[in-house]
Amino acid sequence: MRPPKLAMKAALGGLAAAAILGLGAVSASAAPNPGYGTPYSPIGNTGVHNVWPSANNPFGYSLIQDQDGPQTANVPTLAWVGEDVRLVACDDTILPVPFDGQVQQAEWNTKLWTGDQATQSTPVFDGSQATNLFITDQGSPYFFFPNAPDNFEKGCVSADISSLHAGLDEVTLNVYDENLGGGGGQDSVNGGGLSGGPDQYQVYSEQFIVIWMTANNPTLKEAGLSDIEFPTQAGDNGAMSTAVEPSTGPNGPDANGASVGQLTGTGVKNATAFLGDTAVLGQFGLDAWGADQPFDPWAWDGGANNTPETNNGLVQVRVTGSFPIEDQPPATTNESYFSSITGGGNPSSITLPNEWPQLAAKMAASSIQYPSNASGGNGTTGGFPAQGGNLWDIHGGPTNALTHAGSASGVCAGDGTTFNSTTDAVDDCVTSGGGDVFAFSRVFGDVTNFGTIGPYDPLAANGTLLSDGRLNTDDAPMPALPVTVSIANGGVGGLYGVSKTLVYSHDFNGNASPSNPDPAALTSTGLGNLYNPFYQEYIPSTDRGIAEASGVTGVAFGGFTASSGDDFPGFSLGWTDPYTFWKALNVSSSDTGGSNGCLRATKYDHSSDQGPEYYQLPDYPTQLTVYTDERGEAYVDYNPGTGFPTPNVTIDNNGACDLQNLLGKTIGTASISAQAEYPYESVPYQAPASVTPVTKNVVSQWSKTLTAYPKNNLSGDASVVVASATDVNGQPFAGETVCFAAPGGNLSIDTATSITTPAGTTISLAGSKSASTPKDVGPTYLCGVTGVNGTIGVDVQGSTGAVDVTALFYNEGLFRDITVTPGQSTTVTSTTPPTVIPAFKIDLQSGSSSTSTTAGSTAVAQTPTGQVTIQTQAIPGKAASCKVASFHMFAKKAYAKVKLSCTGTKSDNVLVRTFKGHKLVGTTRVRIKAGKSVTIHFKRGRRISVSA
C-alpha cells in the first residue's frame, strides 16, 4: 500500500537531510528572506520548525507562522495555457497518514478568476478532495510524505489543476481534522473536541496564485558584443546598463557611479573571438576552410550542438506572456482591483514579466503580512516589518553589481570587494576547495545547494530561491516555452545551440569558476564566473525528483509507450531531464548541399588529384527548437558556414566563375524567424510567430587583382606587378599558379619576400616562387606560384612605353589585364577582367553544320582527324564601347574571322580562348581596329598568325 512506502521515503529523506545540512551550506541571514515572512527565524534555525506533541499541544500543531519559509509567501506559479500545475503544501500540521486516529481531509477550491467570464471557463482540478486514509481519493489529490531536506518531518498534500484559457486564479487549500473516535483529550489550540464523534475542524489553510498566460510574439534581436557585456532585465521593457567606461567588469558602479560591463578583459577577448560580426552587426564572411572544430563547453552531441568556435552570431529570443482581466457585467471587481496596473477597462490584460513588480506591489502577501501592506515601506503589521512586493523577489539577474550580503570572511570571501550589502550578485562565489561549483550566493548571506537547477519551487527553497534584494522583472518565474527558430528556405548558414553558461559567464568561457585554475581566464578574483542562474531546468517542474516538487507538471518523452498522450508529444521533446539551456532540439534542415556550379579551382594543390573543386551550396541545420529560461529568454547561435547559393554571375562552360564584381557585397542572406509552441495540450489560441525576422548577411571577400608598383631600380625602367588572389571567405589562395604575358615587355618572377609601396606599405610575397609553364598554356607565358598570402610578383621591363600585362590565374581559368608603364611612379590596380562581349555567332564551315550560340558556348566540328571541340570567347579590353559585329569560326580550316563595331574609340583588345573539351589549349590577344575584319589562324588550338 502507498502509506507504508511513503513512510519509508520519509525516513530515508531524514537521513539525507542531516548529511546535507551538516556540510555548512547555510549560514546566518544578513537580510530577511522575502519568502520567509519574518526576520525572526533565519535560515538554519530549524529548532522552531518541528513541534512535537506535548500536554498543551497533544498533536504537535505548529505555533510558528513562518515555519514553512517561502511557502508563507504567495509567489504565483506561472504556466502557459493548456499546462497542468501541481500545487503542494507541506506543514507540521498535515499528517500523511492517520496519527492516533486522526483522519484529515483536504479540499481545494477556486476563489478568484480573471479569465474568460462569458463562458465561465474556470480552471479545473483533477479531483479536489483527498483524505489521508486514501480510501475515497479520486484524481490527483493525495496526502504523502516529503523526501527533501527542506521539508523534513512535515506532511504534504497536493492536487493538479489545469486551464485551457488564460487568466489568474486564486486557489485555496483547506485541511480538516476528522476525529472518528477513540482519541481523547482536548485540542487547546483549536478548541475542538476529539472524542465522541466525527468532529471536523480546520487545521491548515493556504492560498495559491496560479496564472495561465498566452504567449506574445517572440522578439528577436541580433545580439552583439555590447549586448553580452551589458545585458538587460527580463521582458521587452527591460532596463540596460549604459557603459561610459572601458570594459573592466564585472558590472558595478565605478568611482563616478557609472556602470561597467559584465565581461572581464578576458571575456571581451573571448567573446570577440567567438563572434564574427563585431565590425558590422549582422554581417559575416564565410568560414575558413577546415574550421570545423567545435566550441563545446558542455560536450554536447554533434549536429546543431556542435557549436563552432569562431565567426558566430548570436540571436536573442525573448518571450512574454499575457493574461486577461475580465468581469461579467455589471460586476467591476477585477477591473477595479487591477486598475493601477492595467489603467482600467473591461477587458484588459497584464503582461509578464514586464509588469511583475506592479503585480507584486498589488498582491504580495505572507502569513504575517496583510495585502494592504503589499506596497512595502516602513509600515508594520502585528509588530513585524511589512516587506511588501519584495516577497516576490525570488531571482537574481544579469544586471546586478558585484556585491554580496555576506561578510568578507564568509562564503564569498574571494569574490569582489563589497560585502554586507543589501543586494547580492547571485553568482557561483563558493570558495575554491569545497562546495558545489553551481552553488550560488543570495541576499541572505548564504549559498544555495542541490545544484541550483530551476525552476523556482517554494518546496525546494534551498536550491531554487535566488533572491538578490531587488524586485524587478527578472523575478517573474516565467515557465519554459519551446520556440522553434528557422532560417527561411534558400538562406545561407546554419543554426546551432549555444550554452547559457557561455553567454552568461564573466570571462565568456562557459566554465564554473573553480573548474578552471587559470586566473587569467576568470574574474579578477578568480571566483564568481557564472552570474545569471538558472543554467538548467526541470521540464516539467515536477521532474525534480523529490516527492513534493510543485509547479508545471505532465508527461514527458513523447512517443514512448505509456509516457504521453497519443495526440500530443508531452514535454521535453525527448531528452531534456533536466534541460540544459540552450540545447538545440528537433534539429532539421531544408538545405540541399552539393555544388553551386561555381568553380573554385582546378589542380589547386598540384597533387595527383586533377579534378575541379567547386564551391558548395549550404548544407547546415536550418531549424531547431530551444526552451526559454526563467527570464523568458533564449539564445541561438548562427554560423555562416562555407557554402553559398549559386552566384548571379556568368559561369562559362568551363566552369570559370569570376566573383570580382561581388567583392564586399552580399552573396547570401539568412532570414531567421521564431515560432512559439504551446508546450502541452492543444489550446484555443494561435501560437505566435516572431513579428520581425533577423537578417544575417554574408559578404564575399573573393578577389583577383593586379597591382603595379615602381620597382625603384637604378635604371628606373622596371615595375613590379603583384597578382593577389583571395578566396570568397577572405583566405589567400596560396599555391595557385599564375601565368603572366606582356607583349613588348620583359618579365621575370620577383624573388623578393616583400616589396614596399610608394605609400610605405609592405606587401608580403613570402612563399611565392617560379613554376614551370603548364603544357596547356602558351609558350609566351611566364608562370609562378602564389605564396602563403596569395600573392606573387613579376618584374616588368620595357623601353617602348606602355606594356599590356596579362595574368592568367590558371587554376580558375580567369584573366586580369593591366597597362603598365615600366618605372611608373604611381600605383595602378586592375580588379576587373576584360569585359565579356554580350553575344557572338559561331559558323561551322567545311562540312560541319552551322550553329548560332552566345558567349562562352562550345562549337563541335567533325574534322578529318576526328572529333574536335573548340570553345571560344571573344572579350574586348578596357574600353566598354565595342561590340562584335561578326565572328565566324571555320573549324576545319582552323581559322576565325572577327570584326568589331566601336563608338568613341578606334580599336580595342579582343581575347580569344580555345578549349578542347574542358581543357584550355590556347589564348590569343589581338588588337583590332574598328570596322576591320581580322583573320586569326590556329594550329592545334593556338594562334599562329593574324592577318587583316
Side-chain angles (χ1 to χ4, degrees), residues 806-881:
T806 299
L808 166 62
F809 292 84
Y810 172 77
N811 302 93
E812 295 140 299
L814 296 174
F815 288 84
R816 290 293 182 266
D817 177 78
I818 191 171
T819 299
V820 179
T821 301
Q824 64 186 3
S825 59
T826 59
T827 300
V828 179
T829 301
S830 172
T831 60
T832 57
T835 304
V836 177
I837 288 179
F840 58 88
K841 183 178 182 180
I842 300 177
D843 292 334
L844 301 179
Q845 305 290 335
S846 303
S848 297
S849 61
S850 177
T851 305
S852 296
T853 65
T854 58
S857 60
T858 301
V860 180
Q862 296 293 334
T863 68
T865 58
Q867 186 180 40
V868 177
T869 300
I870 300 177
Q871 186 186 52
T872 63
Q873 282 190 316
I875 304 175
K878 291 175 289 184
S881 55

